Amino acid sequence: MRLQLILILAVLTGSCVSIKAQQPLPDSIPVSTLDSLRPSLPVDAHFLLSYYEQDGNHSAVTGGTGTEELQDIASRIIVNVPVDSVTRISVDLGMNHYTSASTDRIDSRISSASRKDNHVEMYFGYEKDIPKRKMTYGLNAGGSIESDYLSTSAGGKWSKMSENENREIMVGAQVFLDTWVLIFPEELRTVASQQVHTDKRRSYSVSVRFSQVLNRRMEAQATAELVYQHGLLSTPFHRVYFENEDMARIEKLPESRWKYPVGLHLNYFVTDWLVLRSYYRFYADDFGIIAHTARLETPLKFSPFFALLPFYRFHNQHASDYFAPFAAHLQGEEFYTSDFDLSSFSSRKMGMAARYAPLRGLARFKLRESVLRLRSVEIRYARYRRSDGLEANMGTLHLAFILP
Amino acid sequence: MLVFIAGCEPVKQYQKQYLNDEDMQLQNRESELFGIEVDGYREGASGANGGKTGGGCGCN
């Protein structure tokens, strides 16, 4: 019996050794194989639909007076696709259709083609992480088109985290190469073409962003940008009226502009049901505009799946050196505008969003080999009032999808 | 700024349950994007907020 057990053990041991000997030792597993062994990374997609309406009485098309009534319906699709564990691509496609009572007054025919327009834009992004160095770099490119404006852009960014991932610095650059389709006010088309020397607008910006974890419940981010624009910076179909002149002129602004915005975010997780998201921006440019913007949002979490997000935004700006209201410009001014967007004013925007994001999603849509899940829905409303009388309402619907 | 940073409490990855909350993200929400764009169209100031700082539109 003992001998039989010994023989059985010997056979089993021999077979194990022989089996081991038959299996070659694995080489280092390539990254692509490692990625195929991990669960596939989900694709997330966002669908946004927005309605915007405004009205006021200082249209720049008619020299700083007249209706500013406008309606805009906009839609946008953003898709983020992880190519592998360190690489992501994104696509951002937007379309909007707007009708404007003020641009309808570019010529004398009311309810003409200038009353409405469509805008389409598409941007592509690419990001890659370098985990060993805690670095990420990204590239983007895209463009937009509407009846009077064509734009192409490209940019890049680089970011690095600290070893403990409590700090991050990001440096980015962006360039826009734009072209106006010159459309002048009907009665000024002969003289306007002599005043405008280019249909190009070039915009270059560099930005630095610094993020810091302050403690377990608080983090901050500071952003500084430097922007330079040159080319046709005025709007070809904006009219400007002068004292003691019956005939308008078209808006004329310098052909270069420097902008210096600086922003600060501060977020604080107060309790499980309250978060404070705050933001402040200081802005200055060499047109003479100085502005301060502050925003506060206070997400209220009624459950892990439902939150209300009230917000309030205040903006105050000092006018451009080149601004004067209707028929207030004087002879001899080199640059002039009656666009109230460049005037002195304060504005207030307040509203609320509601977000519902249950754990298992709201709906599932069967695709060929996978299931698209509606992860969350958010509805947002904002009311905007400017001190010169412009008022606006905006509603946004956001649907977030995930494709595992 | 350096003094401010020096006073920060280092937080380990497993201690970031509050910082990783969806509402603590420093980037703009997708639902805020339209509003940020429109603010840039009707005001003279733009930038430092994740939106366009100039270019891409016939606006100021």
Side-chain angles (χ1 to χ4, degrees):
Chain A
M1 182 68 177
R2 192 180 297 173
L3 182 60
Q4 289 169 335
L5 284 174
I6 292 172
L7 284 172
I8 290 170
L9 280 172
V11 167
L12 285 174
T13 308
S15 61
C16 288
V17 169
S18 67
I19 288 170
K20 271 192 176 177
Q22 285 167 9
Q23 282 181 338
L25 288 172
D27 295 328
S28 57
I29 302 175
V31 172
S32 58
T33 307
L34 277 174
D35 283 334
S36 66
L37 293 174
R38 294 195 188 96
S40 59
L41 298 167
V43 174
D44 73 271
H46 303 267
F47 175 72
L48 296 124
L49 186 64
S50 175
Y51 174 75
Y52 172 82
E53 62 173 19
Q54 71 171 42
D55 201 0
N57 200 31
H58 293 117
S59 169
V61 177
T62 43
T65 185
T67 179
E68 296 176 273
E69 186 186 352
L70 180 145
Q71 296 87 30
D72 188 327
I73 297 175
S75 61
R76 194 162 174 179
I77 297 174
I78 304 169
V79 181
N80 299 305
V81 182
V83 177
D84 55 39
S85 58
V86 297
T87 311
R88 298 169 293 281
I89 59 174
S90 64
V91 179
D92 185 341
L93 170 65
M95 288 181 285
N96 59 308
H97 172 79
Y98 64 90
T99 57
S100 169
S102 63
T103 54
D104 194 23
R105 281 151 174 80
I106 293 174
D107 54 41
S108 55
R109 289 175 295 136
I110 304 301
S111 297
S112 63
S114 59
R115 177 169 174 75
K116 52 191 177 184
D117 200 0
N118 298 302
H119 172 97
V120 179
E121 59 182 23
M122 181 179 278
Y123 296 98
F124 298 94
Y126 170 86
E127 274 191 10
K128 191 172 181 76
D129 299 328
I130 306 174
K132 285 183 182 176
R133 295 187 178 182
K134 295 192 183 296
M135 286 193 330
T136 300
Y137 67 87
L139 301 169
N140 68 79
S144 65
I145 184 169
E146 55 189 295
S147 65
D148 64 342
Y149 202 84
L150 312 173
S151 175
T152 55
S153 72
K157 64 178 180 180
W158 169 89
S159 66
K160 181 165 173 60
M161 272 198 187
S162 60
E163 279 304 311
N164 62 7
E165 299 189 6
N166 279 200
R167 191 176 305 152
E168 183 183 35
I169 186 165
M170 192 276 298
V171 179
Q174 194 77 24
V175 58
F176 285 90
L177 307 175
D178 301 344
T179 304
W180 283 96
V181 176
L182 295 175
I183 300 173
F184 300 114
E186 184 183 37
E187 73 281 9
L188 302 174
R189 281 172 190 161
T190 307
V191 298
S193 57
Q194 299 169 0
Q195 174 180 314
V196 175
H197 307 298
T198 179
D199 59 354
K200 302 282 187 277
R201 176 185 285 189
R202 301 286 182 258
S203 305
Y204 310 94
S205 67
V206 292
S207 60
V208 178
R209 191 180 72 198
F210 181 80
S211 307
Q212 174 71 49
V213 169
L214 302 178
N215 56 46
R216 294 188 193 188
R217 292 174 176 264
M218 193 183 295
E219 57 188 351
Q221 181 181 89
T223 305
E225 293 190 39
L226 182 63
V227 182
Y228 175 67
Q229 292 184 290
H230 76 91
L232 180 57
L233 304 186
S234 56
T235 303
F237 50 82
H238 282 180
R239 295 179 175 88
V240 176
Y241 288 91
F242 283 68
E243 270 191 9
N244 303 318
E245 274 188 26
D246 294 330
M247 192 64 136
R249 306 184 199 181
I250 65 164
E251 183 181 80
K252 185 180 180 188
L253 293 170
E255 289 191 353
S256 70
R257 184 178 187 181
W258 287 96
K259 301 180 179 180
Y260 320 99
V262 178
L264 179 65
H265 284 90
L266 184 66
N267 290 352
Y268 179 44
F269 193 95
V270 182
T271 68
D272 285 341
W273 55 269
L274 176 64
V275 175
L276 296 180
R277 298 179 75 218
S278 61
Y279 170 76
Y280 168 77
R281 177 186 63 197
F282 171 80
Y283 172 93
D285 67 23
D286 63 354
F287 275 17
I289 295 176
I290 295 175
H292 302 272
T293 309
R295 188 184 72 220
L296 179 66
E297 184 183 273
T298 57
L300 302 167
K301 298 167 181 287
F302 290 90
S303 79
F305 316 125
F306 179 73
L308 289 179
L309 314 164
F311 57 89
Y312 179 82
R313 177 184 181 273
F314 175 78
H315 175 86
N316 178 272
Q317 76 178 39
H318 178 270
S320 164
D321 298 337
Y322 313 120
F323 172 82
F326 175 75
H329 281 285
L330 303 172
Q331 301 282 344
E333 289 181 13
E334 184 182 6
F335 302 111
Y336 35 85
T337 178
S338 291
D339 184 353
F340 270 72
D341 296 344
L342 304 182
S343 67
S344 289
F345 63 82
S346 61
S347 70
R348 287 159 177 78
K349 182 166 80 171
M350 63 178 72
M352 172 122 37
R355 183 184 67 227
Y356 182 54
L359 190 62
R360 305 183 74 173
L362 286 96
R364 292 166 186 262
F365 305 93
K366 185 87 169 70
L367 303 179
R368 279 189 188 175
E369 295 178 0
S370 54
V371 176
L372 181 68
R373 184 157 55 95
L374 175 58
R375 183 165 58 86
S376 68
V377 59
E378 182 176 331
I379 299 174
R380 189 177 185 91
Y381 168 75
R383 169 100 174 134
Y384 178 92
R385 281 187 176 183
R386 211 164 72 178
S387 57
D388 70 325
L390 180 76
E391 295 187 351
N393 295 286
M394 176 179 244
T396 302
L397 170 68
H398 171 213
L399 303 175
F401 296 88
I402 190 165
L403 184 68
Chain B
M1 185 69 156
L2 289 172
V3 170
F4 186 61
I5 294 169
C8 300
E9 168 194 329
V11 177
K12 294 183 171 47
Q13 287 297 100
Y14 60 85
Q15 297 172 325
K16 286 186 175 179
Q17 69 272 29
Y18 302 127
L19 299 174
N20 289 335
D21 187 88
E22 179 179 4
D23 293 310
M24 283 290 287
Q25 301 312 306
L26 291 163
Q27 280 69 44
N28 296 314
R29 305 179 201 285
E30 284 79 9
S31 60
E32 293 174 322
L33 296 177
F34 282 131
I36 290 170
E37 271 189 38
V38 174
D39 290 338
Y41 295 155
R42 61 191 172 202
E43 295 170 352
S46 60
N49 60 356
K52 289 175 184 166
T53 52
C57 65
C59 51
N60 291 301

